Amino acid sequence: MPGTSKAMAERVELRINGAETAVEADPASPLLGVLRETLGLTGSRFGCGAGLCGACFVLIDGHAVPSCDTPLWATAGKEVTTVEGLGTPEHPHPLQQAFIEEQAMQCGYCVSGILISAAALLRRNTDPSEAEVREALDRNLCRCGAHNRMVRAVLKAARGKGTA
Amino acid sequence: MSAQTQQGKALPGSLAANPLLAQWLRFKPEGTVEVSPGKVEIGQGILTALMQIVADELDIEPARVKLKAASTARSPNEGVTSGSLSVQQCGIALRHACAEARAMFVAAAAERLGVEAGSLAVEDGTIIGPENARTSYWELADLVPLDAPASGKVAPKPATARKYAGHSAARVDIPDKVFGRPRYIHDLKLPRMLHGRVLRPLTRGAALVALNEEAARAIPGFVALARDGNFVGVLAETEAAAERCLALLRSQAEWRGGEELPDEATLTDWLKSQPVETKTVDSRETAAAGSPAGHMRRQYSRPFIAHGSIAPSCALARWEGAGVHVWTHSQGIYNLRAELAAVLKLSPEEVVVEHAEGAGCYGHNGADDVALDAALLARAADGRPVRVLWTREDELTRAPFGAAMAVEIEAELDGEGEILRWRHELWSNGHTARPSRGSNPVLLAASELAEPFPHVVSTNPPLPAGGAERNAVPIYDFPAWHIISHRLLVMPVRVSALRSLGAFANVFAIESFIDELAAERGEDPVAFRLRYLGNPRARAVLEAAAGRAGWGSRRGGEGTGYGVALARYKNMGAYCAVVAEVEGEEDVRVRRLVLAVDVGEAINPDGVRNQIEGGAIQATSWTLKEAVRFDRTRITSDNWEDYPILKFSEVPAVEVEILSRPEESPVGAGEAAQGPVAGAIANAVFDALGVRVRSLPITRDNIIAAMELS
């Protein structure tokens, strides 16, 4: 029954982008809302609320997961990385650098989630084929049609990492 | 009214309607130039192209150009950012405004330095004369009256003197987007901001007969409920609380009535049996059109198509006294302002509409609707700002769709199968119900209020661009043709402008039919087209695409096929030819698209390439996968599983060749690929499978249906 489960705010401890933090929130509430509204980490985007578009992806212990669909309690004891935690303008992640070089987007709304999926891929496979990149990004939707630029950027970042 | 030059000629682009130079340019003491164009960034990279144009004409480094968000409080009124016109209208206006401003500054510098204007040069905004005499735009800013109308007497630089325009430039918005910095309207956070959500029925036009508010009111963080007739929204301190309230309201709301939808299974027949307004779009008859020996007639169709932006529409609003300030990702801030004023019973001056970037925009989506939602909810917020976000379901079911169309083409042929007469007849809703185009407001909530405005039936923009009839006139030199458009006078499914409007279906139909005629004659489709194509720029893109794709040496068969198509967008914009390579049997996969385009002067060639690639991939998605689904009471494709779009693993390789024409006027690139891509894919499917699919999308079901028909 809707309404019978009262939202109870509790102190929840999180480890986000390498830092320990704590929030007062309902442990059942989605991680995305806490990231965006409470912690001001707006790089993770809301797209569908059902884990079907990838715009809200974050890394949890290195795996790309939809933060819109992940309850806060499920992150207990785990490392959460958002797009803000991948790199900074001063120290960009190779993927971020490659996306700039390839001008790999149009509107860019899907890009945070795609960077996260790509980062998860490169953690488990440092030298992916083009088909493996496409498969790894298949859970992320892009409506503007910048797919091929993004695939090129991911391959470029992978190669750069290999030769650096 | 349009301003004119002293010679009586209209000023170029948007300068005609906004001649004051100060509306375009402001020189700031810190050594920058503030530009607040009326055209807005919708993911197409327009801001970067405008920056290139300004830097060139003013002789400054691009970094000195500061682009400010469009606002009705300061920007020129440039209508709507649509129709691939931003470079033509805004870019050209800025180019001329900057050329005039530069000349005024140089004249002022000549006077100050006591030298001839002709002896002065401008380097990054510093004006340099003989013996190193120096001043700058910024030193002279107070002396140069930019609050004067443009004269139209200063010519911009020749193409050869441009340093930035014509060269690819890195987009200014990209760094924010890869580092996840706040950039979108969704990220705006105003002090004391509340979150709003709107309750809507599944059936459009249904009446709310019962609403239980108690459960929602009990949620911690609940602030207020706003109701005006069938429009209901909730305000809460947090987004999570607003969503919880909405879910509770929804589960206990009772709706009755509403509009009946057509039968999806017989949509094309439905389109052809409704009350319509009929007009002849174009007609030609020449002596060459002799008496026919035979004829061929075919019917093509496309379904309703959703915008499917990755972000749900969003807006913010705050009432300030009697007036309201609205933040929106609308394509037309002035038109939205007029519409909001009409619904809220305010004067336009009491409404400020400011643009903030949204996700990709491909036409008239929910952006304007949610702006009214926010303004209505903010009335209950006691002066606090309110942010309203639509749900994914809203976005896929309640935003306007691109209109379904039926197109019938008939050709009269001579004994050799050559075309004598061509007849193109189409049935469709109008393709535009944008704000402030008609007498009644079109915003969704306007029809839900206690004193409702009627549902507006969409219309077509005037020719030559047209709406449903966009690109219905063939690009080929047929001796005679007759083009007829039937606009539906009923509109149970809400439609408005979607990328390329009617051009998508018309070009798909024309280019499919041409292919069918070539196949009947057993003639090569490229050669057949070229024989009917006099326009040299059209021939050039067709030959370039065919050449690059290796058309002459292609090898089909074994489930692989090649198809070609072309069009000139709106018959007056960009030329685009496409060769598609497909594979498959029951499920078709597009392996490769090769496109050649001519957009005249390409200000940012990489930006053009990006737009063409993106258009081609989106058009592939429309062509292979997309159809809005519905039953008799509601739109049922309300999530990404029921409205699938092309995935990374399904995206074809895309190659784009830009035919460089720096001396030609620049035209937009954003919509040029849509129709030709559909035609090329359909023709390639025929080449691969021997099946002519005339109903989009080219899904397994539609391929099987086409096989059964043939």
Side-chain angles (χ1 to χ4, degrees):
Chain A
M1 269 289 286
T4 49
S5 61
K6 267 272 163 59
M8 295 299 283
E10 287 175 21
R11 185 184 153 85
V12 182
E13 292 184 353
L14 298 160
R15 187 170 169 79
I16 296 181
N17 298 332
E20 304 288 344
T21 182
V23 296
E24 289 288 324
D26 175 3
S29 63
L31 174 61
L32 178 64
V34 172
L35 292 174
R36 291 185 56 86
E37 214 176 337
T38 313
L39 301 173
L41 294 168
T42 54
S44 308
R45 319 285 180 199
F46 178 86
C48 69
L52 293 173
C53 75
C56 67
F57 276 10
V58 298
L59 293 174
I60 296 184
D61 282 354
H63 300 283
V65 298
S67 63
C68 74
D69 224 11
T70 301
L72 217 43
W73 59 259
T75 66
K78 295 184 173 154
E79 173 75 42
V80 178
T81 307
T82 69
V83 68
E84 292 94 337
L86 285 184
T88 61
E90 296 72 34
H91 302 285
H93 189 283
L95 283 164
Q96 290 168 318
Q97 187 61 40
F99 270 59
I100 293 173
E101 286 169 14
E102 292 293 317
Q103 298 281 292
M105 71 190 67
Q106 278 186 27
C107 82
Y109 197 85
C110 65
V111 161
S112 306
I114 286 171
L115 287 166
I116 292 291
S117 287
L121 168 70
L122 296 189
R123 278 173 66 112
R124 60 177 192 266
N125 181 353
T126 52
D127 187 23
S129 67
E130 182 179 330
E132 286 169 331
V133 172
R134 288 184 187 275
E135 195 194 324
L137 300 185
D138 249 0
R139 292 191 300 152
N140 294 84
L141 298 180
C142 162
R143 186 54 161 166
C144 297
H147 307 72
N148 292 341
R149 285 176 180 243
M150 298 192 204
V151 170
R152 275 203 300 278
V154 175
L155 289 169
K156 185 176 193 175
R159 281 198 302 271
K161 241 161 73 176
T163 55
Chain B
M1 285 308 293
S2 290
Q4 298 191 329
T5 64
Q6 285 149 7
Q7 294 81 32
K9 222 174 114 198
L11 286 164
S14 302
L15 263 187
N18 303 275
L20 283 187
L21 297 173
Q23 282 178 292
W24 296 94
L25 299 169
R26 288 174 286 273
F27 289 79
K28 298 302 220 186
E30 66 270 18
T32 60
V33 182
E34 186 182 287
V35 179
S36 56
K39 298 289 184 185
V40 299
E41 182 64 51
I42 55 174
Q44 83 283 45
I46 186 64
L47 296 183
T48 308
L50 297 178
M51 192 176 80
Q52 291 176 269
I53 288 172
V54 170
D56 262 334
E57 288 306 324
L58 289 177
D59 287 310
I60 55 176
E61 290 296 323
R64 290 191 188 272
V65 183
K66 300 295 173 198
L67 288 152
K68 212 152 178 218
S71 166
T72 58
R74 57 175 172 261
S75 301
N77 181 354
E78 293 197 81
V80 182
T81 303
S82 67
S84 301
L85 293 168
S86 295
V87 167
Q88 273 136 291
Q89 295 178 342
C90 181
I92 292 305
L94 266 173
R95 179 172 276 169
H96 283 82
C98 290
E100 296 220 359
R102 183 186 186 280
M104 290 164 78
F105 276 105
V106 168
E111 201 174 308
R112 167 172 289 194
L113 302 174
V115 298
E116 289 292 314
S119 69
L120 294 171
V122 182
E123 281 176 25
D124 194 20
T126 298
I127 306 171
I128 304 164
E131 290 157 36
N132 211 19
R134 275 162 190 267
T135 180
S136 76
Y137 290 154
W138 298 282
E139 278 176 33
L140 297 170
D142 289 341
L143 300 175
V144 176
L146 291 180
D147 51 351
S151 69
K153 288 202 290 194
V154 182
K157 288 180 176 177
T160 48
R162 292 177 201 139
K163 202 162 133 193
Y164 302 107
H167 304 278
S168 292
R171 274 180 33 200
V172 294
D173 52 330
I174 283 184
D176 278 353
K177 293 172 179 178
V178 300
F179 294 112
R181 290 191 294 235
R183 170 101 202 173
Y184 301 98
I185 188 166
H186 308 79
D187 308 330
L188 272 180
K189 199 169 185 177
L190 299 175
R192 304 180 65 236
M193 184 171 85
L194 294 172
H195 292 271
R197 291 291 185 276
V198 178
L199 175 68
R200 292 208 149 94
L202 293 173
T203 302
R204 183 166 171 243
L208 181 59
V209 291
L211 181 70
N212 184 346
E213 306 171 7
E214 292 318 306
R217 288 183 184 277
I219 294 294
F222 170 92
V223 172
L225 197 93
R227 179 162 181 187
D228 185 340
N230 293 317
F231 176 85
V232 182
V234 63
L235 292 174
E237 294 286 349
T238 65
E239 220 170 343
E243 275 164 14
R244 200 168 295 134
C245 291
L246 177 66
L248 290 169
L249 290 172
R250 183 175 286 146
S251 68
Q252 299 182 36
E254 207 181 302
W255 302 88
R256 193 162 299 156
E259 288 203 43
E260 191 188 41
L261 301 181
D263 181 0
E264 192 192 337
T266 54
L267 181 58
T268 306
D269 297 335
W270 180 85
L271 287 170
K272 293 176 76 174
S273 60
Q274 299 307 303
V276 292
E277 174 190 84
T278 296
K279 77 174 172 207
T280 298
V281 177
D282 199 36
S283 199
R284 95 180 330 190
E285 190 72 38
T286 59
S291 49
H295 78 112
M296 187 158 110
R297 187 168 74 184
R298 297 285 185 265
Q299 178 175 284
Y300 305 88
S301 66
R302 67 164 257 192
F304 295 104
I305 298 176
H307 292 257
S309 184
I310 300 300
S313 295
C314 181
L316 282 71
R318 181 174 61 211
W319 284 80
E320 293 156 4
V324 64
H325 192 125
V326 173
W327 290 262
T328 177
H329 53 110
S330 167
Q331 291 171 278
I333 53 173
Y334 280 91
N335 289 351
L336 175 59
R337 181 177 75 159
E339 191 109 328
L340 290 172
V343 178
L344 299 168
K345 300 187 168 47
L346 299 173
S347 73
E349 292 69 34
E350 290 172 307
V351 181
V352 173
V353 177
E354 183 168 339
H355 184 263
E357 223 176 297
C361 168
Y362 322 103
H364 177 199
N365 55 24
D368 297 285
D369 294 326
V370 75
L372 175 57
D373 291 349
L376 289 170
L377 288 191
R379 280 201 299 210
D382 208 13
R384 293 175 70 177
V386 170
R387 172 186 184 268
V388 178
L389 180 71
W390 271 16
T391 62
R392 172 53 45 199
E393 296 74 37
D394 288 332
E395 201 65 28
L396 285 174
T397 63
R398 297 183 172 94
F401 299 118
M405 281 175 73
V407 179
E408 207 175 271
I409 306 183
E410 182 173 9
E412 290 179 3
L413 308 166
D414 71 8
E416 311 292 311
E418 297 289 352
I419 299 157
L420 298 174
R421 278 192 186 77
W422 178 274
R423 181 186 165 86
H424 181 126
E425 194 168 359
L426 65 92
W427 293 261
S428 171
N429 268 121
H431 281 243
T432 301
R434 285 191 183 276
S436 293
R437 293 277 170 91
S439 50
N440 274 313
V442 299
L443 303 176
L444 185 56
S447 64
E448 299 168 335
L449 302 176
E451 289 176 48
F453 292 90
H455 281 163
V456 172
V457 175
S458 60
T459 55
N460 288 311
L463 292 164
E469 55 285 281
R470 184 167 291 179
N471 279 90
V473 177
I475 194 172
Y476 302 102
D477 305 323
F478 305 139
W481 62 53
H482 198 55
I483 318 294
I484 301 145
S485 169
H486 305 285
R487 179 177 72 86
L488 270 62
L489 299 175
V490 297
M491 194 171 89
V493 177
R494 187 179 182 222
V495 302
S496 188
L498 174 65
R499 197 174 194 171
S500 85
L501 309 191
F504 180 66
N506 287 320
V507 173
F508 160 67
I510 292 170
E511 291 299 298
S512 294
F513 192 67
I514 279 279
D515 231 62
E516 298 203 41
L517 291 170
E520 284 291 314
R521 284 177 46 82
E523 186 173 356
D524 176 80
V526 171
F528 185 65
R529 282 174 172 79
L530 284 171
R531 287 198 299 106
Y532 284 95
L533 208 51
N535 184 314
R537 289 171 73 180
R539 294 179 67 91
V541 291
L542 180 55
E543 285 167 340
R548 184 169 178 138
W551 181 262
S553 56
R554 72 192 186 282
R555 278 211 209 125
E558 302 283 309
T560 298
Y562 296 81
V564 67
L566 90 151
R568 180 182 194 188
Y569 185 50
K570 299 182 192 173
N571 291 343
M572 57 186 186
Y575 298 85
C576 178
V578 182
V579 173
E581 181 185 333
V582 307
E583 63 183 351
E585 282 164 14
E586 286 176 337
D587 284 311
V588 168
R589 196 184 114 75
V590 179
R591 224 157 30 194
R592 179 178 178 228
L593 295 172
V594 176
L595 299 98
V597 294
D598 171 355
V599 296
E601 177 196 357
I603 307 280
N604 183 354
D606 189 59
V608 170
R609 191 165 282 120
N610 201 348
Q611 280 294 298
I612 294 291
E613 283 169 14
I617 291 170
Q618 191 177 76
T620 302
S621 185
W622 292 357
T623 303
L624 293 186
K625 306 190 84 155
E626 296 185 35
V628 172
R629 311 300 308 269
F630 47 92
D631 61 23
R632 305 307 294 267
T633 63
R634 68 182 188 99
I635 306 296
T636 55
S637 49
D638 61 0
N639 65 73
W640 289 121
E641 283 180 336
D642 296 327
Y643 192 88
I645 63 173
L646 208 64
K647 295 191 294 188
F648 270 87
S649 58
E650 299 167 327
V651 165
V654 181
E655 294 171 39
V656 179
E657 185 166 326
I658 300 173
L659 276 61
S660 174
R661 300 198 187 272
E663 303 301 331
E664 297 281 353
S665 304
V667 295
E671 299 164 285
Q674 307 311 108
V677 164
I681 293 174
N683 294 337
V685 168
F686 176 75
D687 190 43
L689 309 181
V691 181
R692 181 57 67 176
V693 184
R694 302 189 185 92
S695 299
L696 295 178
I698 305 178
T699 55
R700 175 188 294 223
D701 285 355
N702 279 343
I703 291 172
I704 292 169
M707 282 174 172
E708 284 167 356
L709 247 154
S710 60

